[in-house]
Amino acid sequence: MSSEPAPDREPRLAARVAALLAPHASLLALATLLVLTSTALTVAAPLLLQKIIDEALPAHDVALLGLLCGGMITAGFLSNLTSLYQGRLIYRVGQRVVHDLRMKVYDQVQRSPLTFFASESNSRTQSILVSDIGEISDTLTFSLQSLLLSGTGLLAAVGVIMALNWKIGLLSIVLALGLSLVNRRLARRRFMLTNLRQDRVADMMRRVEEDLSYLGVVAGRTLGRTGFQRGRFLAASLDTARLTFEERMAGRTGYAWFGSALACIPPAIYWVAGTAFPEISVGTIIIIAMLQMRLTDPIENLMLVSADIQSSLAVFKRVFAVMDLETDPSIEPSREERDGSAGTPLPRPPATLELDGIGYSYPGAARPALTGVNLTVRPGEVTMLAGPSGSGKSTLGLIIAGLLTPLQGGLRLAGRPVDPRQLRGVVTLVPQEAPVFNASIRENLLFGRPDATQDDLERVLGAVRLTSLVRSLPAKLDTVVGERGYELSGGERQRLALARALLSPSPILVLDEAVSALDVITGAEVHASVLHHCADRSLIFIAHRIPVLAHEDTVVLIDQGRVTEHGTHAGLLDRHSAYAHLVRSQTTVAAPAPAPAPVPDTAGQPDS
């Protein structure tokens, strides 16, 4: 993303900002009406003061003096009251717009293709959702309110001055226009600096996310690079501070000169009125001077608000860039999902999943990740996807789970074409780095099935051999596992994620290196227990370490995105195939496994 939009894009950017406010036009109109009322009441006070000076005081008219003073008090009270309510309206509109905008950005990112999350920094998304939209909140509340108050106050003051003496009023208008033109040039630099600063803030957040995470701290300490990590954060922080200072100070020198110039106006009015316009009354001269003094704050506020709005356009640009991201059509909610009506029910198990000529390529990749993959997954069968690193096994798992849309070929369930959205309703994937949330063990499990009972939770914990661990914890199931689950070991995190997947009602499970963090003995026991627990489900294993398989289990060997061997476990071993060589090289027991039985969850077993 460029640091500053092209000039011809600015009108379109402003139009999009205006479109955000359009649904709240009625509230904004009411707020504007209250601002006009407050401004009129504010202007009334000096006019009443003019009458006091020119008429009531010289004539010693107590009744008129009381009436005029009472009018000033009433005008001041009503002005502040209307100002209070218009502020409430502006804040309400601002927060509604910010909430809507934040949800639109969240939804847009959530609907983005899976490849977006691999290439885009999560800290940048966080910066936009929190920092950028937070700045927009300030713009839509404080800046918008200041714009309305200062703008109407300036117009009202100029109008009264014009009525009292049009020559001085004309001078005021010329001055305001001149300052506005100069301010536009000053604001452009602040616009550019704001955009650069937000990029640096995102970079700094990325450093914090990487270096101060559990894995970042471990890497820095074990490799002796903590000083390097601190140094690059220091550089990012200094750069952010420098840009923030330059942004805040941009145009401040000009504003100081303008303030000094405006401060010279009242003495000049007294001098001009006393020499060139002797016929003007004392009250009129004082009121003109007061109103000219009141021009100072609105003009300076308008200059600052204009700069804030100009700089906030850079923030809006970043937010709109996210809102314009390409989305994955398969993530879009269907009409049935939006209105809550039931769609056409998918075939439930037993049902056969067929992959026909599946092909996929990642953007910018030198070769396709998958080419012409054919595969049949029958109900209750175990399928093993094997192959070297980078062969395309995990990509195939993502396609089967409906997380990637194949670029060639298609998928069928029970003979009917099925799209990625429907696949996600019948397939659950457990990746090697499965997410564990900073919540309790119970909450992590219920994420897979919110209506699961206590018995359900205990059953899946037993299946992955976590019962003893949970019982040993002070809060049992309600123990919080920490950021990314780092209160648990790597193997415990993997088993917790696997237990969550076992809770899901999906008839097909894809386990991608789901027990890679376990030792050989524990991994074999969990594998056997999962087979028993999922006897009525289709299981697809993706692993470098081949688990114990039965004779009839299906094996698919993938190399450079193509299926090079496909058959049963026993059949491929008998042919002395590449798969057989892979199994022997890992010294995996090749004998057919007996009918698996539940493995008791005993304490004291090793875990990596």
Side-chain angles (χ1 to χ4, degrees):
M1 300 177 186
S2 61
S3 60
E4 185 172 0
D8 59 345
R9 291 180 61 89
E10 288 187 15
R12 179 174 178 268
L13 190 62
R16 294 188 68 174
V17 175
L20 294 175
L21 298 172
H24 311 281
S26 58
L27 289 178
L28 287 174
L30 179 57
T32 303
L33 179 61
L34 291 174
V35 168
L36 293 174
T37 303
S38 177
T39 302
L41 292 168
T42 302
V43 171
L47 296 178
L48 293 172
L49 179 60
Q50 179 195 19
K51 296 294 185 182
I52 291 174
I53 295 173
D54 287 342
E55 299 178 18
L57 289 178
H60 301 286
D61 189 335
V62 177
L64 179 60
L65 183 62
L67 181 63
L68 294 173
C69 289
M72 290 182 67
I73 294 173
T74 302
F77 175 78
L78 293 177
S79 175
N80 283 283
L81 186 63
T82 54
S83 178
L84 170 65
Y85 280 100
Q86 66 84 18
R88 288 173 59 91
L89 288 176
I90 292 294
Y91 293 148
R92 180 176 299 176
V93 169
Q95 291 310 309
R96 286 181 179 178
V97 171
V98 165
H99 169 71
D100 292 343
L101 191 59
R102 186 174 284 123
M103 292 310 302
K104 287 179 180 178
V105 171
Y106 183 94
D107 292 340
Q108 190 75 6
V109 173
Q110 195 176 49
R111 293 194 300 264
S112 295
L114 201 61
T115 51
F116 166 81
F117 302 95
S119 60
E120 185 71 14
S121 168
N122 185 45
S123 60
R124 182 176 178 84
T125 302
Q126 292 179 23
S127 176
I128 290 173
L129 275 171
V130 180
S131 178
D132 287 7
I133 295 183
E135 288 200 20
I136 288 174
S137 174
D138 293 340
T139 300
L140 292 178
T141 52
F142 301 111
S143 296
L144 184 58
Q145 185 181 26
S146 183
L147 181 64
L148 287 173
L149 289 172
S150 299
T152 55
L154 178 62
L155 292 176
V158 169
V160 172
I161 293 175
M162 288 285 289
L164 295 174
N165 189 292
W166 68 270
K167 293 180 181 179
I168 298 178
L170 184 61
L171 178 64
S172 302
I173 294 174
V174 172
L175 178 62
L177 291 175
L179 291 176
S180 176
L181 292 174
V182 174
N183 176 61
R184 181 172 175 80
R185 297 188 62 183
L186 295 173
R188 282 187 173 276
R189 174 169 170 75
R190 192 172 179 188
F191 177 94
M192 178 189 68
L193 291 172
T194 299
N195 209 14
L196 290 174
R197 179 176 64 83
Q198 290 300 114
D199 286 337
R200 296 299 182 274
V201 169
D203 290 341
M204 190 166 58
M205 291 179 65
R206 178 170 60 85
R207 294 299 181 199
V208 171
E209 181 184 18
E210 292 177 351
D211 295 346
L212 296 186
S213 67
Y214 177 85
L215 294 178
V217 169
V218 169
R221 292 177 181 178
T222 56
L223 297 175
R225 299 289 281 171
T226 55
F228 170 76
Q229 290 174 319
R230 184 183 185 278
R232 64 182 183 182
F233 178 78
L234 174 65
S237 179
L238 286 174
D239 202 22
T240 302
R242 177 184 61 80
L243 288 170
T244 302
F245 175 79
E246 292 183 10
E247 178 204 3
R248 295 290 186 261
M249 295 305 296
R252 293 290 175 174
T253 302
Y255 302 148
W257 281 107
F258 293 142
S260 299
L262 289 171
C264 296
I265 292 178
I269 291 175
Y270 299 144
W271 186 83
V272 171
T275 57
F277 304 98
E279 72 279 2
I280 299 179
S281 68
V282 174
T284 301
I285 295 173
I286 293 176
I287 298 310
I288 290 177
M290 287 180 58
L291 291 175
Q292 275 290 354
M293 287 294 291
R294 287 192 177 187
L295 288 180
T296 304
D297 287 342
I299 289 176
E300 290 185 345
N301 285 340
L302 286 174
M303 291 169 61
L304 293 173
V305 168
S306 176
D308 288 340
I309 292 175
Q310 284 287 334
S311 63
S312 70
L313 289 179
V315 179
F316 275 110
K317 175 179 174 286
R318 288 161 54 89
V319 173
F320 288 142
V322 174
M323 293 174 62
D324 292 338
L325 288 172
E326 179 185 359
T327 59
D328 185 346
S330 71
I331 307 297
E332 296 288 342
S334 64
R335 180 175 59 83
E336 291 80 6
E337 290 170 328
R338 284 195 299 267
D339 61 22
S341 61
T344 303
L346 284 172
R348 304 305 296 173
T352 299
L353 177 64
E354 299 172 88
L355 285 71
D356 184 15
I358 295 299
Y360 189 83
S361 297
Y362 290 99
R367 62 174 178 82
L370 294 171
T371 303
V373 174
N374 298 308
L375 178 64
T376 299
V377 180
R378 295 181 177 84
E381 285 191 351
V382 174
T383 301
M384 178 71 208
L385 302 182
S389 298
S391 60
K393 306 185 301 298
S394 294
T395 299
L396 184 58
L398 292 172
I399 289 176
I400 292 173
L403 298 174
L404 287 180
T405 303
L407 302 181
Q408 293 91 35
L411 298 94
R412 294 187 298 274
L413 188 66
R416 297 166 51 187
V418 62
D419 61 29
R421 183 189 295 111
Q422 294 170 314
L423 278 174
R424 289 194 295 273
V426 295
V427 182
T428 292
L429 169 72
V430 183
Q432 181 177 5
E433 294 292 335
V436 176
F437 306 110
N438 188 4
S440 68
I441 294 175
R442 184 189 305 276
E443 290 171 302
N444 271 281
L445 291 173
L446 293 178
F447 188 83
R449 199 176 102 205
D451 62 346
T453 65
Q454 181 74 15
D455 289 341
D456 294 330
L457 302 185
E458 292 177 356
R459 185 165 54 253
V460 295
L461 287 173
V464 298
R465 297 187 67 255
L466 279 180
T467 300
S468 296
L469 170 70
V470 173
R471 287 176 178 172
S472 68
L473 298 173
K476 305 298 188 292
L477 277 169
D478 296 314
T479 301
V480 177
V481 298
E483 182 70 21
R484 300 187 182 181
Y486 286 140
E487 293 291 328
L488 305 175
S489 71
E492 289 164 352
R493 290 196 299 272
Q494 279 195 332
R495 283 183 282 166
L496 180 58
L498 180 56
R500 181 173 59 205
L502 295 180
L503 274 176
S504 74
S506 302
I508 302 174
L509 292 183
V510 180
L511 309 182
D512 188 356
E513 299 284 2
V515 294
S516 60
L518 302 180
D519 62 87
V520 175
I521 296 176
T522 305
E525 291 178 349
V526 170
H527 173 75
S529 183
V530 168
L531 289 176
H532 176 80
H533 187 87
C534 301
D536 58 343
R537 302 192 194 187
S538 300
L539 293 175
I540 301 174
F541 291 99
I542 302 173
H544 291 97
R545 191 173 70 200
I546 308 299
V548 176
L549 298 175
H551 272 322
E552 66 276 11
D553 290 343
T554 301
V555 173
V556 178
L557 191 66
I558 302 176
D559 192 10
Q560 295 188 358
R562 296 180 180 275
V563 175
T564 56
E565 294 183 3
H566 187 182
T568 65
H569 169 68
L572 291 178
L573 287 179
D574 290 342
R575 296 208 316 255
H576 303 289
S577 60
Y579 171 72
H581 175 74
L582 177 64
V583 172
R584 293 190 185 97
S585 69
Q586 296 180 5
T587 63
T588 303
V589 178
V599 177
D601 183 15
T602 58
Q605 293 291 349
D607 180 25
S608 60

